[in-house]
Amino acid sequence: MIEARGLSKNYGTLKALDNLSLTIGPGEVFGFIGPNGAGKSTTMKILSCLLRPDAGRASVCGLDVRTRGDDVRRVLGYMPDFLGVYDDLTVDEYLQFFAAAFAIDRRRRRATIDGVLELTDLVEKKHSPVDGLSRGMQQRLGIARVLIHDPKVLLLDEPSSGLDPRARIEMRELLIELGKMGKCLMISSHILSELAEMCTCIGIIERGRLLYSGSIKEAYARVRGGERVTVRLEPGGAAAAQVAEALAGDARITRASVADQSLTIDLAPGNHGHHFLFEMLCAAGARIDAFTPEEVKLEEAFLRLTTGAVQ
Amino acid sequence: MTTSGAGNVPIQAPADPRPRPLITLLRRLRSLNPVGLPGSGPWALFQKDVRSAGRRRLTYWARGLYASAFAGLVGLVLIAVISDSPGQSTAASLQQIQRIAPILATSVLWFQYVGLCFAAPLLTGPTLCEERRSRTLPALLTTPLSAGQIVIGKFMGALSQLLVFALVPVPALLASRVFGGLDASAVLAGTAVAVGAAILAGSWAMIFSLNASRGVSAAMAAWSMMLFFHFLVPLVAVSPIGLTRLGIPTPPWLGPSMCPPMALFTISQQITGAATPASITLLSVGGSLGVSLLLWLVTTISLRSALTRTGGEFQTKAELRREARALRRAAKASPQPAAPAGPQSAAQPARTPTPTAHRSRVIGDHPVLWREIRQPAFGSRTRLVVIAVAALIVVGAVYWIGGISDPLVHQAVAIISMLIFAATACVSTTPTIGGERDARTWDVLLTTPLSPRRIIWGKFVGGMARLWPVPLVMAVCLLVVAPIGGMYSPLPLTLYFCSFPPVAAILCATGVFWSLVIRRVTLASVVNFLLAASFWLGLPLFVTVFFEIAGNSDMAEQLVGALFSANPVALGITASSRLGSYVYLGGGESFDILSMQYPPLQFVTLCIGVWATYGLIAVVILEAAARRLAATRDKLA
């Protein structure tokens, strides 16, 4: 769906993109993460034919963004980080405007607009002036606009920025729904917990360079190496040090450290499951009070993979 | 002097080996730089504005252009002098310079007057509305700055830029004083009048900046007020076709105090030898500064009231009204509160929206054009009513004083209307693309498959459509009032009204082009205006001055006549000169452009040729704009 090879873009002396390559397949929800000024918006603008790259190639649905801009626009919907609206139009007129701009047949226009209004839950605001909408509603309207021509690919730049918690949750649900509809989504956001919930893969960019692109699980694995489990032991069973000794020989366990009555066990990379660990702990005579697999968060992966450098 | 951290050993500053008086002097001079002084109150704002202006490339371009225009004027005079008397002796050259000095000084003073009055509103117009747009006023309010200090600080910042413009002609004026033996007091008086008028123009722009959405709107409103008070009021109050015609005496101070051009005209006569009372200068400068003070006061009070009304989030009354209206509409469009959840409500069918006061319109297949032609010409209905009433009063007063049966009165109204039309056409399309960029809708529009040509032509036609008010007023004046007064000449009337579209076409086309190329709306508007003024007014003026100084008046008249013959504004004005005459296609009085006389048929042919040419140029410019837009959208890649 989206393919970029060696994209580079300079703004004067500032290198906004540096040999960026990525691939996003159909039906994927791609979270684009990076510090401010990392090059996320520039990438999205190149993909939506608003900017010409200095070097490299990019294509959307197999259409080159340089040479087939018109066709790319028909299969792609781009929502910028700040949604500008024509303040003299109503919601319905605003959508009609873009339906006409996308040359949607007049006979189908009404049904299409009603459909996207329903999907974005804006039916009740149909005749409201767009400048009277709340920020959350305006963001929904932005989504409605990008859906008006039923694009296969959606580029959403900070769709949740500036929204209150309720609007943010609603927006997340809407994006998940779009993902389920089979759209290819590229979402840039700073709210990493949200991305972790709805994205199938992520890309981490810093200073114009793509540091990582792949699934979230792979990102965690790259950061941590393997999973970490904390086990608290009840008194009366085997001592923590003894249990640690018993675990030490297994190849699936890289390290087992002891602190008071607790064990911190680092597993080797790979998908091992937890049942073997239970069996080994029980065999070593441990009485398990609590068994807590430690969650690696996307924030941690992001912090570990980026250096914090800002352009 | 500092002490080091380790061991608290005092570090002695190295003694200066030898006194350096030049560096000391420079340091002392540097300490006098107002930007470097410790800032508090309005001074802090002044420093901020001066610094930020100093970092803008545009500031230096504007100064450079002003200086170049001025150098061009001086160069023109000098070239004319040299070419007039080649190979003459030094004494003769000096005599020649003495002869030319009054002309040079007068030209410089008038140039300074026009230039400063044009620049001042552009500098002060954006001050308050830009602070409002960038939402920095609330931050200012958290400081101990008062509204008055904000106004003074912003005005001083803009004034410092104006000072640079005012200083540009000083070397030429000094040279003409030294080598030409001019009266210094007259030169100083002329400069004072010009600067005073510029301060007044800037003050007008400042007060309009409070409610304007853009700096250029405030500047335009200020220019309109300057035109009104500097020309129209003295015209009514002092001129022979004014109140004196009705036998009402006018006080002698009224003219100079309300009309700086009148004062400058008198001072120009002093430079060329006539005696002028000093009170003229005092009246003019005093009048300008007095009104300016009043305007600052009103600006301060308005700003304070607006800020306290909206808790720092400064919104104009119009914005507040619009917001309230939007909220009302939104409330009407929203359904009633939902019924309590329960088995009954769950079984109810989906709720339909309640009827709304505001129904959505149906948009056609040309969305950009659809929206553009629905853009209001005056921003709001209130503004439309105010302007309509003002126009009615002004035109009514002119007809009441001048009489509706006097062809000269109709001609004056037609000429002024044509000039106002051209000026509004200059700024009709310049905000279209810049405005979309500011509202962040431009990028969104570019991601649609709308072709650049459709976008550009939509903007162009919309801009043309917004220019209806002046032709409408003129239709009432010339098709209703003039026939009542016994004047009805179909051919000149047709030619006059047909002159509007070509003027609008070329200026709207260039406006769209500049709006695409230049990001700042104000700059695009100024460039469009200056370009039109340069070609249609500046070039004929240049030719006139050059050949007049060279002593070849006939050539000047012929060339200027030819230039005006290719000018649609001049053709419209010429057509209006025959509004009360007996003219028909096969004969009657000729249409005169200076020394050039065109029989009616020839004039009609000329008009059609010029209109067609301008139409063609407009199409070429629009196509160039479309190609440029296409290039930015990678269409040409």
Side-chain angles (χ1 to χ4, degrees):
Chain A
M1 280 278 176
I2 296 176
E3 190 164 6
R5 287 282 164 267
L7 282 185
S8 293
K9 178 76 189 171
N10 298 315
Y11 296 115
T13 54
L14 182 78
K15 196 160 239 185
L17 284 185
D18 186 6
N19 199 24
L20 181 137
S21 299
L22 60 84
T23 307
I24 306 171
E28 283 191 12
V29 181
F30 182 83
F32 208 21
I33 311 167
N36 289 330
K40 303 186 293 291
S41 296
T42 302
T43 309
M44 286 192 167
K45 283 188 173 176
I46 288 173
L47 291 172
S48 53
C49 310
L50 287 172
L51 271 181
R52 184 201 300 247
D54 294 337
R57 292 184 62 208
S59 65
V60 176
C61 297
L63 304 163
D64 195 309
V65 295
R66 270 172 176 261
T67 54
R68 300 188 63 185
D70 259 357
D71 297 322
V72 169
R73 284 182 194 99
R74 286 179 207 285
V75 297
L76 180 138
Y78 168 62
M79 190 170 102
D81 52 349
F82 183 91
L83 180 73
V85 289
Y86 296 113
D87 54 7
D88 49 350
L89 301 181
T90 65
V91 168
D92 186 58
E93 287 167 354
Y94 182 79
L95 293 175
Q96 276 191 64
F97 180 93
F98 283 100
F102 278 101
I104 293 171
D105 189 82
R106 276 189 125 166
R107 285 163 297 185
R108 280 200 305 119
R109 219 176 274 175
R110 183 76 272 150
T112 309
I113 290 168
D114 288 343
V116 292
L117 283 174
E118 200 165 326
L119 181 70
T120 51
D121 203 13
L122 282 172
V123 177
E124 290 167 357
K125 297 286 179 187
K126 190 174 174 180
H127 299 299
S128 301
V130 288
D131 58 343
L133 295 180
S134 65
R135 181 74 198 265
M137 289 287 182
Q138 284 197 353
Q139 291 291 84
R140 281 174 172 276
L141 180 62
I143 298 279
R145 179 189 64 75
V146 295
L147 291 173
I148 201 86
H149 59 294
D150 192 21
K152 291 175 182 164
V153 176
L154 293 175
L155 306 181
L156 310 174
D157 200 352
E158 306 275 354
S160 302
S161 73
L163 299 187
D164 63 42
R166 175 176 287 276
R168 195 172 286 176
I169 292 164
E170 286 170 356
M171 176 62 71
R172 190 177 63 209
E173 283 170 2
L174 180 61
L175 297 181
I176 291 170
E177 187 67 30
L178 290 174
K180 285 179 186 166
M181 286 164 70
K183 310 261 182 216
C184 170
L185 270 77
M186 185 180 197
I187 304 167
S188 113
S189 177
H190 287 143
I191 307 158
L192 303 184
S193 55
E194 263 184 19
L195 287 182
E197 282 180 45
M198 61 186 168
C199 293
T200 53
C201 52
I202 58 164
I204 297 177
I205 186 173
E206 189 178 44
R207 300 184 77 168
R209 283 192 297 272
L210 194 69
L211 303 178
Y212 172 78
S213 177
S215 72
I216 294 181
K217 276 189 179 175
E218 274 177 49
Y220 294 160
R222 187 182 286 196
V223 171
R224 172 60 54 81
E227 202 179 350
R228 173 176 287 180
V229 177
T230 309
V231 180
R232 198 168 67 237
L233 302 178
E234 273 185 10
Q242 279 179 332
V243 178
E245 216 169 281
L247 297 176
D250 197 283
R252 290 166 292 188
I253 295 169
T254 52
R255 199 165 68 97
S257 53
V258 180
D260 295 333
Q261 276 298 99
S262 289
L263 283 169
T264 304
I265 304 161
D266 288 330
L267 302 181
N271 194 11
H272 313 293
H274 294 144
H275 61 278
F276 84 94
L277 201 53
F278 273 107
E279 287 165 7
M280 287 183 77
L281 286 168
C282 291
R287 294 180 67 179
I288 300 168
D289 181 37
F291 184 95
T292 317
E294 221 173 78
E295 267 186 45
V296 183
K297 289 183 179 163
L298 195 55
E299 279 93 341
E300 195 182 338
F302 176 72
L303 287 174
R304 293 281 294 274
L305 288 170
T306 58
T307 59
V310 179
Q311 295 212 58
Chain B
M1 184 81 67
T2 57
T3 54
S4 70
N8 286 338
V9 181
I11 296 173
Q12 295 291 334
D16 206 351
R18 56 195 164 84
R20 286 180 289 185
L22 187 63
I23 288 176
T24 315
L25 180 69
L26 281 174
R27 275 185 191 150
R28 282 190 185 155
L29 282 175
R30 200 177 155 193
S31 69
L32 292 176
N33 177 7
V35 180
L37 289 175
S40 66
W43 207 246
L45 267 176
F46 164 78
Q47 289 176 345
K48 189 268 285 177
D49 280 2
V50 171
R51 284 201 177 107
S52 59
R55 286 183 192 126
R56 258 182 254 138
R57 201 180 295 172
L58 179 63
T59 307
Y60 301 100
W61 271 102
R63 287 175 188 173
L65 277 173
Y66 190 83
S68 306
F70 174 74
L73 180 76
V74 175
L76 179 73
V77 173
L78 291 176
I79 288 166
V81 171
I82 293 161
S83 64
D84 194 34
S85 47
Q88 63 184 358
S89 65
T90 313
S93 291
L94 275 172
Q95 280 180 342
Q96 184 79 348
I97 288 171
Q98 282 179 350
R99 186 178 70 80
I100 219 78
I103 302 171
L104 177 68
T106 312
S107 310
V108 167
L109 286 177
W110 279 99
F111 172 85
Q112 201 175 16
Y113 168 73
V114 175
L116 292 184
C117 285
F118 179 74
L122 285 173
L123 291 168
T124 55
T127 47
L128 293 175
C129 64
E130 287 301 325
E131 288 270 354
R132 199 180 71 237
R133 276 162 64 87
S134 56
R135 293 173 177 255
T136 46
L137 269 178
L140 277 182
L141 277 189
T142 57
T143 66
L145 280 173
S146 67
Q149 287 175 324
I150 292 173
V151 170
I152 291 170
K154 300 296 289 180
F155 194 83
M156 277 163 48
L159 204 67
S160 67
Q161 305 301 317
L162 200 71
L163 198 67
V164 177
F165 286 108
L167 288 173
V168 168
V170 166
L173 289 173
L174 279 176
S176 53
R177 162 83 184 95
V178 173
F179 299 110
L182 288 182
D183 183 3
S185 65
V187 172
L188 281 174
T191 308
V193 167
V195 172
I199 289 174
L200 178 60
S203 306
W204 274 117
M206 192 93 174
I207 200 169
F208 287 120
S209 181
L210 268 174
N211 286 300
S213 55
R214 293 175 189 290
V216 72
S217 312
M220 280 189 67
W223 290 327
S224 307
M225 293 311 290
M226 290 294 282
L227 280 174
F228 184 77
F229 281 107
H230 281 196
F231 293 102
L232 209 61
V233 172
L235 190 77
V236 174
V238 183
S239 72
I241 64 159
L243 291 172
T244 47
R245 194 172 182 163
L246 302 174
I248 301 168
T250 50
W253 53 265
L254 190 65
S257 63
M258 290 200 73
C259 183
M262 279 180 75
L264 204 57
F265 181 72
T266 320
I267 291 164
S268 302
Q269 283 181 321
Q270 186 190 351
I271 290 172
T272 49
T276 309
S279 58
I280 292 280
T281 312
L282 286 176
L283 276 171
S284 177
V285 176
S288 295
L289 293 183
V291 178
S292 297
L293 273 174
L294 197 70
L295 291 174
W296 295 347
L297 195 67
V298 176
T299 312
T300 303
I301 293 167
S302 306
L303 178 66
R304 187 183 298 157
S305 112
L307 290 171
T308 46
R309 190 171 57 233
T310 54
E313 279 291 334
F314 176 34
Q315 286 172 301
T316 62
K317 282 180 185 170
E319 283 172 338
L320 285 173
R321 271 198 302 273
R322 199 169 60 215
E323 195 172 280
R325 202 165 52 238
L327 284 173
R328 273 200 305 275
R329 281 179 191 163
K332 281 180 183 172
S334 299
Q336 297 302 314
Q344 277 185 337
S345 63
Q348 279 172 358
R351 200 170 43 220
T352 52
T354 50
T356 56
H358 192 280
R359 299 302 302 178
S360 298
R361 299 157 287 186
V362 176
I363 294 176
D365 289 331
H366 302 279
V368 176
L369 177 65
W370 182 91
R371 184 174 170 270
E372 286 296 330
I373 58 176
R374 278 164 183 77
Q375 293 293 303
F378 292 105
S380 69
R381 211 171 286 171
T382 318
R383 202 178 293 173
L384 171 66
V385 170
V386 169
I387 290 173
V389 169
L392 199 70
I393 291 169
V394 170
V395 175
V398 168
Y399 280 133
W400 180 62
I401 295 165
I404 59 168
S405 54
D406 189 346
L408 278 177
V409 174
H410 290 290
Q411 197 187 338
V413 172
I415 292 171
I416 291 168
S417 300
M418 182 57 87
L419 294 177
I420 291 172
F421 180 80
T424 47
C426 284
V427 293
S428 176
T429 49
T430 43
T432 50
I433 295 174
E436 289 233 28
R437 280 200 196 103
D438 287 352
R440 311 282 286 266
T441 50
W442 185 237
D443 275 1
V444 172
L445 192 65
L446 291 187
T447 56
T448 67
L450 276 175
S451 70
R453 192 172 285 134
R454 277 176 77 187
I455 295 174
I456 293 294
W457 277 88
K459 301 275 177 200
F460 168 73
V461 176
M464 293 270 286
R466 282 192 291 278
L467 292 171
W468 57 266
V470 174
L472 182 73
V473 171
M474 287 320 295
V476 173
C477 291
L478 300 181
L479 299 177
V480 179
V481 181
I484 293 170
M487 271 172 300
Y488 184 70
S489 311
L491 185 64
L493 269 178
T494 311
L495 292 175
Y496 177 73
F497 281 108
C498 285
S499 298
F500 284 113
V503 174
I506 190 75
L507 293 175
C508 286
T510 50
V512 170
F513 185 81
W514 294 126
S515 182
L516 183 70
V517 174
I518 302 169
R519 293 191 76 84
R520 283 172 164 263
V521 174
T522 308
L523 185 61
S525 305
V526 170
V527 167
N528 204 30
F529 183 84
L530 284 181
L531 202 72
S534 309
F535 272 103
W536 289 346
L537 209 61
L539 193 60
L541 209 66
F542 179 87
V543 170
T544 309
V545 171
F546 185 82
F547 283 98
E548 283 289 338
I549 292 169
N552 198 343
S553 302
D554 291 344
M555 176 64 95
E557 202 163 337
Q558 279 182 355
L559 274 174
V560 173
L563 285 172
F564 278 144
S565 299
N567 178 340
V569 178
L571 291 179
I573 289 170
T574 307
S576 71
S577 69
R578 290 287 173 261
L579 283 172
S581 309
Y582 177 67
V583 187
Y584 64 103
L585 208 56
E589 288 184 42
S590 64
F591 290 88
D592 303 340
I593 301 177
L594 298 178
S595 63
M596 293 188 163
Q597 295 182 332
Y598 295 98
L601 185 61
Q602 203 180 337
F603 187 70
V604 170
T605 315
L606 173 74
C607 285
I608 292 171
V610 171
W611 296 337
T613 309
Y614 271 92
L616 200 66
I617 295 170
V619 171
V620 170
I621 291 168
L622 289 171
E623 281 303 307
R627 284 180 72 82
R628 193 182 165 87
L629 179 57
T632 58
R633 287 176 54 165
D634 291 354
K635 283 274 176 68
L636 302 178

